[in-house]
Amino acid sequence: MARYLYLISYICDNQPGTCEYRSDQEDLTRQAAHEYLQGLHRNEASSFTDVQVQRLEHDHEPGTSPGHYQQP
């Protein structure tokens, strides 16, 4: 299993989105994240902007969306 967990935030067709990416690489570049997003949405003619990569130190709680504040 991949050792590092990354949160990729992006804008796709003017809609914000996030996804998680696991990798054995210690660093994930924005270009590599952009290529990963294109692979996820290859059936759609999508343009990605504002791609940001953040390495997470631990998994998020099951049933929650990463990157969004969960009110108690």
Side-chain angles (χ1 to χ4, degrees):
M1 184 168 162
R3 298 183 315 177
Y4 300 103
L5 176 63
Y6 296 93
L7 177 65
I8 303 173
S9 302
Y10 58 92
I11 305 289
C12 177
D13 297 331
N14 294 323
Q15 297 296 317
T18 60
C19 67
E20 292 181 348
Y21 179 74
R22 291 192 180 271
S23 174
D24 289 327
Q25 298 178 8
E26 189 172 346
D27 293 318
L28 181 67
T29 65
R30 287 179 31 186
Q31 179 62 30
H34 193 273
E35 292 171 5
Y36 174 73
L37 292 171
Q38 286 179 328
L40 283 179
H41 298 277
R42 75 177 121 194
N43 294 334
E44 305 168 17
S46 302
S47 62
F48 297 98
T49 59
D50 298 331
V51 176
Q52 298 178 8
V53 178
Q54 178 182 7
R55 191 167 112 186
L56 302 176
E57 297 300 322
H58 53 81
D59 290 335
H60 63 85
E61 293 183 28
T64 63
S65 297
H68 297 283
Y69 176 72
Q70 299 290 316
Q71 289 188 335

